[in-house]
Amino acid sequence: MQRRRTGLTAVALAMGMTATLAGCGSSGGSSEVTLKLVAADYGDSSANSSQKYWDKLVKEYEADHPGVKVEVSVYSWTDVDRKVKEMVAAGDAPDMAQIGAYADYAAKGQLYKVGDLLSIPVEANFVPQLTDASQTQYGMPFASSTRLLFYNKTLFSEAGLTPPQTWSELAADARVLKAKGVKFPYALPLGPEEAQAETMQWLLSGGGGYTDDVGAYAIDSAENIKTFTWLRDELVGKGLTGPVAPAKLNRADAFEAFARGEVGMLSGHPTLMQMATKKGVKFGMVPMPGIDGRTKATMGVADWMMAFKKNGHGKQVGDFLDFVYNDKNVLAFSHEYDLLPVTSSASDTMAGDQDDQDLAPFLDELPSAELYPVGKTSWAKISADIKKQIAKAVSPGGSPTGVLGSLQNEGIMADSAG
């Protein structure tokens, strides 16, 4: 599954979508402007820290823009949202932040509009599925992914199994894997790291979701209650999710267990391919099973770039972000971390490159993907609440109706509070 990384730069530059930056970097006088960016770390070690990606990109940018310096501080996903929040509260907002949500800052009037920053070709080049999900003019997608069901080919072959297409088949496969001594027949990470993602994937596979057709919270819908009742009774309750309680299993730990060959099945994003390949685990990927067949929608995730108005560096920020979003840089980041490009031209390049065919199944899922309701100012709070509470719904004696109902009420109150 290893992919050749060469030859992409020439292809990207030939696309003709690279932003024109000549003469844009100067501050307009002899003084120098320093832009501060806080970014999330997508690496899993110091060897592939996102700091290295940003350092290289910034070095190239500054070489052509002598009037602008860019300082990038990279933090783990555990810390980055909190760090930006603390900086803003202290009156020391960065010029840019690349984190998970932006709507609460936009609602307070703290962010530049995207149209006031980017050149028209760059703004128009974002993947529509991602910009449609944001429903605001203040967030720029930075990285994206979709989810597929990963399964261990060796374990499935030894057990005589085929990949499941329905929930009943998934449970049946999990029972066989358990009987064969597989540690985690299906890994269900509902720990605090990323429980909102696993939750959303299951809600979608059950025909529900976090919101209804008009964007209002529908967390306690009949479909969602049915989904978590099934998880509680048919997977967790029957010991098919392994020795670690879902409440204590984080996504990173589940991925590491899969890379050790201890997991039969789990919902995963493209980064898991690299982890499993490095450890020699043979795996397959199929769309996430639904109640009676393939789900109508899978979960998509986008992380966001935003720009704060406080320092008044809108022109310089816009110039820098035009550079960030040229195809060469978008593809370099996507390849480094096995993520999907956020621009249409880079996506087209990836789709047509034979060296990128391992990502093709994830690209295929993007047109039908649904993203978090990131345009809602309440989403950051509700996401945090989901991380804290959702695992209770599948615990022994847990009440899906009660837990989902509580989250729904919190969503309504948060929306009312504005």
Side-chain angles (χ1 to χ4, degrees):
M1 295 290 291
Q2 290 293 331
R3 299 205 309 283
R4 177 171 55 85
R5 302 297 190 190
T6 60
L8 287 167
T9 299
V11 173
L13 291 175
M15 292 298 293
M17 290 301 296
T18 303
T20 300
L21 297 171
C24 295
S26 174
S27 62
S30 59
S31 62
E32 185 176 89
V33 171
T34 298
L35 302 179
K36 295 183 178 180
L37 165 63
V38 174
D41 194 352
Y42 290 80
D44 55 14
S45 67
S46 59
N48 68 344
S49 168
S50 294
Q51 189 72 56
K52 292 186 175 182
Y53 168 82
W54 286 111
D55 288 347
K56 182 175 183 295
L57 183 149
V58 166
K59 183 178 180 180
E60 293 179 6
Y61 181 79
E62 290 179 346
D64 289 332
H65 299 77
V68 180
K69 296 293 182 182
V70 184
E71 296 179 356
V72 183
S73 300
V74 172
Y75 297 91
S76 72
W77 274 108
T78 304
D79 299 323
V80 67
D81 289 300
R82 174 183 55 80
K83 182 64 177 179
V84 172
K85 185 176 181 179
E86 290 174 352
M87 293 173 70
V88 173
D92 188 29
D95 294 283
M96 296 161 283
Q98 185 269 300
I99 53 178
Y102 59 85
D104 49 345
Y105 299 118
K108 297 174 183 176
Q110 295 171 325
L111 303 180
Y112 284 106
K113 289 183 178 180
V114 175
D116 293 337
L117 296 169
L118 302 180
S119 64
I120 293 174
V122 174
E123 183 182 6
N125 196 28
F126 288 123
V127 174
Q129 190 72 17
L130 304 177
T131 53
D132 290 348
S134 70
Q135 298 180 341
T136 78
Q137 306 172 59
Y138 298 93
M140 293 156 274
F142 180 76
S144 69
S145 67
T146 55
R147 297 293 194 268
L148 293 170
L149 181 75
F150 281 69
Y151 65 96
N152 184 307
K153 282 188 172 182
T154 301
L155 297 178
F156 266 63
S157 177
E158 291 173 350
L161 300 175
T162 57
Q165 298 182 26
T166 66
W167 286 2
S168 60
E169 291 176 2
L170 186 150
D173 286 352
R175 288 194 294 270
V176 174
L177 292 169
K178 180 183 179 181
K180 292 286 186 178
V182 175
K183 188 173 182 179
F184 295 91
Y186 179 87
L188 184 68
L190 294 177
E193 179 194 3
E194 205 181 38
Q196 83 286 359
E198 184 76 10
T199 296
M200 183 171 176
Q201 180 59 74
W202 277 102
L203 296 184
L204 291 172
S205 70
Y210 284 132
T211 58
D212 59 22
D213 292 340
V214 297
Y217 283 117
I219 301 173
D220 64 345
S221 69
E223 293 85 357
N224 292 346
I225 291 172
K226 182 178 180 180
T227 294
F228 266 79
T229 300
W230 186 88
L231 286 173
R232 181 196 64 187
D233 296 344
E234 302 301 324
L235 285 188
V236 180
K238 294 186 177 179
L240 301 180
T241 54
V244 180
K248 296 183 178 181
L249 183 65
N250 282 323
R251 176 198 54 80
D253 297 327
F255 278 19
E256 290 174 3
F258 187 86
R260 292 194 300 268
E262 299 174 351
V263 176
M265 300 171 280
L266 83 170
S267 173
H269 55 65
T271 303
L272 183 55
M273 295 190 300
Q274 189 178 103
M275 294 178 62
T277 299
K278 286 180 178 178
K279 297 292 186 178
V281 172
K282 296 180 180 179
F283 61 91
M285 303 175 297
V286 295
M288 191 70 182
I291 298 176
D292 299 314
R294 178 172 175 170
T295 59
K296 295 181 180 179
T298 189
M299 190 190 75
V301 173
D303 301 321
W304 302 92
M305 180 73 75
M306 66 208 70
F308 288 89
K309 296 190 293 186
K310 180 171 177 60
N311 299 322
H313 295 152
K315 179 182 183 299
Q316 291 82 11
V317 167
D319 293 340
F320 176 67
L321 291 178
D322 272 1
F323 180 74
V324 167
Y325 283 109
N326 73 40
D327 280 356
K328 173 189 172 183
N329 292 325
V330 170
L331 285 167
F333 186 86
S334 297
H335 287 135
E336 179 65 31
Y337 301 107
D338 278 327
L339 293 167
L340 304 183
V342 296
T343 63
S344 296
S345 54
S347 294
D348 291 343
T349 299
M350 178 176 281
D353 194 324
Q354 288 299 313
D355 295 328
D356 287 322
Q357 289 310 295
D358 49 354
L359 283 169
F362 296 95
L363 280 171
D364 291 343
E365 293 293 305
L366 191 56
S368 63
E370 291 191 18
L371 279 69
Y372 300 133
V374 292
K376 297 174 75 67
T377 58
S378 58
W379 172 242
K381 178 184 185 307
I382 300 307
S383 176
D385 291 340
I386 291 168
K387 293 178 182 181
K388 295 176 183 177
Q389 299 184 40
I390 195 63
K392 298 176 184 177
V394 298
S395 63
S399 171
T401 300
V403 172
L404 295 176
S406 175
L407 289 168
Q408 173 70 11
N409 289 336
E410 291 174 12
I412 292 173
M413 289 189 292
D415 271 355
S416 299

